[in-house]
Amino acid sequence: VNIPGRKGLDKITHAHAYGGPDLTVKTTEELLGLEIDYYVKTNFQGFRNIIDILGGVTLNVEKRMYYPAEDIDLQPGCRL
């Protein structure tokens, strides 16, 4: 995306690193062509809680995903 005040295109997530929430909002508004009145800033645990409150995410695991270093051990099938 184009990040205001920066040259060329960049990842939208870099807007936060360059200018915090204000630049992230401005970048997103320009990208989507709409005004953002409010936003939520949270850490990862807060994000998990928000997803759980909204009913979770259903994920179809196609094959076993076993990555012990990341504490990941998913079996095939639908997971909530």
Side-chain angles (χ1 to χ4, degrees):
V1 300
N2 179 53
I3 298 175
R6 305 289 297 184
K7 292 184 180 181
L9 299 177
D10 209 335
K11 293 181 179 182
I12 193 169
T13 55
H14 289 179
H16 191 272
Y18 297 140
D22 291 338
L23 186 57
T24 303
V25 167
K26 186 173 183 179
T27 301
T28 305
E29 286 178 336
E30 288 187 10
L31 175 68
L32 300 178
L34 54 87
E35 186 176 326
I36 296 174
D37 296 318
Y38 304 98
Y39 64 88
V40 174
K41 184 174 180 178
T42 184
N43 61 19
F44 192 73
Q45 184 58 46
F47 178 72
R48 289 179 64 170
N49 292 342
I50 292 167
I51 296 300
D52 288 344
I53 288 168
L54 295 174
V57 174
T58 302
L59 177 63
N60 183 28
V61 179
E62 294 181 8
K63 61 181 181 178
R64 184 171 185 209
M65 297 175 65
Y66 180 64
Y67 306 100
E70 289 95 17
D71 196 29
I72 296 173
D73 186 8
L74 299 174
Q75 299 297 325
C78 285
R79 304 282 171 247
L80 178 62

